[in-house]
Amino acid sequence: MTRRNAARPHLPLVVTSDDALLDDLLRLAAAGGTEVEVAPDPAGARGRFTVAPLVVLGTDQAAACLRARLPRRPDVVLVGRPDDAGRVWEYAELLGAGHVATLPAAEPWLLDRFAASGCGGTAPARVVVVLGGRGGAGASVFAAALALTAAHTGRRVLLVDADPLGGGLDLVLGWESREGVRWRELTERDGRVDLPALVGEPAGAGDLVLLSFDRRLLPAAPPEVMTAVLDAGRRTRDLVVVDVPRRLDPAAVVALQAADRGVLVIPAELRATTAAAKVIVDAARHCRELGLVVRGPSPGKLTAQQISQSLQLPLLGTLRPEAGMPAALERGRPPALEGRGPLAVLCRRLVADLCGPVPVVPA
Ligand SMILES: Nc1ncnc2c1ncn2[C@@H]1O[C@H](COP(=O)(O)OP(=O)(O)OP(=O)(O)O)[C@@H](O)[C@H]1O
Ligand SMILES: [Mg+2]
């Protein structure tokens, strides 16, 4: 929930007592990654009207604001519904409001205004793409563990399942029965990406939302929707993790091109190494920063350093086998949940490398 009532002058201000409109505006602000101040009327808005970085005024309060003679702000956004069309322009003129937004058509525009003006005006999220050196390498498990670890250490995280033939990343997290928008619903919509509507769960000080495939056979993710998803993730999250298939499709290419880092997970085996060499040729065309995570056991005693040298990619880390993990995953237990074990330890290090120190949450 992004609503906040304590006075914080740097937050956008929403002035409305129309509950349905308020719900829509809070949803858009959340999708834009910002909290807002809410005032039901001009009396409640007065103290913050001039200092808020953005004022969004519902048409229900436009007449009251005129009567209250609030200071004129040319950047005020007057928000209405199609039914208000005539009145909204008239009020905008009288109030000197510089913008009129008619919902739902103007939702993407308003979302951008919230994103640009909110306290979430921090650096864009880091984007990490994970792929496997061979089938069953452990890439999806690694992607899920990285995202969970980042969320549990206070980051806002978007995890994107980009493998249409995978079983669904929601299954890896044990979230398959959770409500929320998945790829099918997203692609059937009009392309609007509302991250808080995805499958998710607040986790400690950070939170994780997941865009997952489900059990139905679906066409590949449309690249333009992937672009919009990554844009929204970059704007409003601290970390975006994308699990892509080895055979790259257009959406996977979009993700690799947007990535700050590509992580190739590879079992410490000869045949996996030779398979990975082919995957790397393709991935390296689109991603500058590829690195390896080598997963044991190593039946032929091949070392992580040997694999890294032979593939000419830097070694980001190694994973000792975790005997209990396959059974735990089958029971719907998310990987690295307890924060212990080789996978959790490596993920913490990589998250710290990527995102910097854990954010300090104000009391
Ligand atoms: N760190 C780990 N420790 C032990 N077992 C693991 C680990 N990671 C993955 N596994 C096992 O390997 C299986 C395959 O993992 P995962 O689905 O992540 O591989 P993948 O590379 O995504 O495969 P695909 O080619 O299907 O995309 C898991 O179901 C689990 O049993
Ligand atoms: Mg996978």
Side-chain angles (χ1 to χ4, degrees):
M1 179 56 131
T2 55
R3 182 178 185 161
R4 184 180 272 257
N5 287 316
R8 292 240 321 245
H10 59 284
L11 293 179
L13 174 65
V14 169
V15 188
T16 182
S17 57
D18 173 336
D19 286 342
L21 181 62
L22 180 59
D23 279 351
D24 282 344
L25 294 173
L26 290 176
R27 177 175 53 78
L28 291 171
T34 185
E35 299 181 359
V36 293
E37 307 273 3
V38 179
D41 51 31
R46 189 174 290 282
R48 291 164 279 170
F49 196 80
T50 47
V51 288
L54 171 70
V55 175
V56 177
L57 174 61
T59 35
D60 61 295
Q61 291 304 309
C65 283
L66 265 178
R67 284 195 300 274
R69 296 182 187 278
L70 288 182
R72 281 171 88 86
R73 273 191 66 160
D75 55 347
V76 165
V77 180
L78 192 58
V79 186
R81 306 276 183 199
D83 304 349
D84 308 322
R87 279 193 313 153
V88 83
W89 287 106
E90 193 186 317
Y91 281 130
E93 180 89 32
L94 292 169
L95 286 161
H99 306 280
V100 167
T102 306
L103 299 185
E107 284 196 357
W109 179 85
L110 198 49
L111 190 156
D112 282 345
R113 303 286 302 186
F114 276 124
S117 68
C119 57
T122 47
R126 311 284 285 170
V127 178
V128 179
V129 167
V130 181
L131 65 174
R134 69 142 156 88
S140 297
V141 168
F142 181 82
L146 192 68
L148 264 182
T149 303
H152 283 142
T153 52
R155 278 79 175 200
R156 296 165 302 169
V157 186
L158 166 65
L159 174 60
V160 182
D161 176 0
D163 186 353
L165 292 182
L169 268 190
D170 54 353
L171 262 176
V172 178
L173 292 173
W175 287 10
E176 66 276 14
S177 53
R178 290 198 185 179
E179 300 277 317
V181 168
R182 289 170 169 76
W183 271 112
R184 176 180 289 261
E185 292 83 32
L186 192 66
T187 49
E188 282 170 0
R189 286 176 167 195
D190 53 5
R192 272 184 296 148
V193 177
D194 179 10
L195 295 188
L198 304 179
V199 185
E201 172 193 62
D207 68 90
L208 172 60
V209 286
L210 166 69
L211 175 54
S212 183
F213 281 100
D214 56 24
R215 264 47 65 198
R216 293 168 291 185
L217 182 60
L218 292 178
E224 65 282 2
V225 181
M226 178 64 91
T227 302
V229 168
L230 295 178
D231 278 353
R234 283 196 107 113
R235 232 178 16 233
T236 62
R237 308 261 108 190
D238 301 311
L239 180 68
V240 179
V241 180
V242 192
D243 178 31
V244 302
R246 281 171 303 134
R247 188 170 283 284
L248 301 180
D249 61 17
V253 168
V254 165
L256 278 164
Q257 286 169 343
D260 299 293
R261 168 157 295 166
V263 178
L264 191 89
V265 180
I266 172 173
E269 299 160 6
L270 183 60
R271 209 148 59 88
T273 307
T274 55
K278 298 180 197 168
V279 177
I280 291 166
V281 170
D282 219 8
R285 285 212 296 264
H286 309 290
C287 179
R288 298 144 284 167
E289 297 277 344
L290 279 179
L292 291 179
V293 165
V294 176
R295 179 159 85 82
S298 173
K301 306 281 181 249
L302 202 54
T303 67
Q305 285 73 19
Q306 286 170 327
I307 294 172
S308 160
Q309 272 164 15
S310 107
L311 295 175
Q312 297 182 4
L313 284 186
L315 185 62
L316 301 173
T318 56
L319 288 172
R320 278 185 287 112
E322 290 185 55
M325 187 170 305
L329 286 167
E330 289 291 300
R331 290 198 301 270
R333 203 159 171 69
L337 186 67
E338 311 290 348
R340 287 193 297 271
L343 182 59
V345 170
L346 176 61
C347 286
R348 269 203 300 279
R349 176 162 67 72
L350 293 181
V351 168
D353 276 1
L354 282 157
C355 301
V358 177
V360 178
V361 180

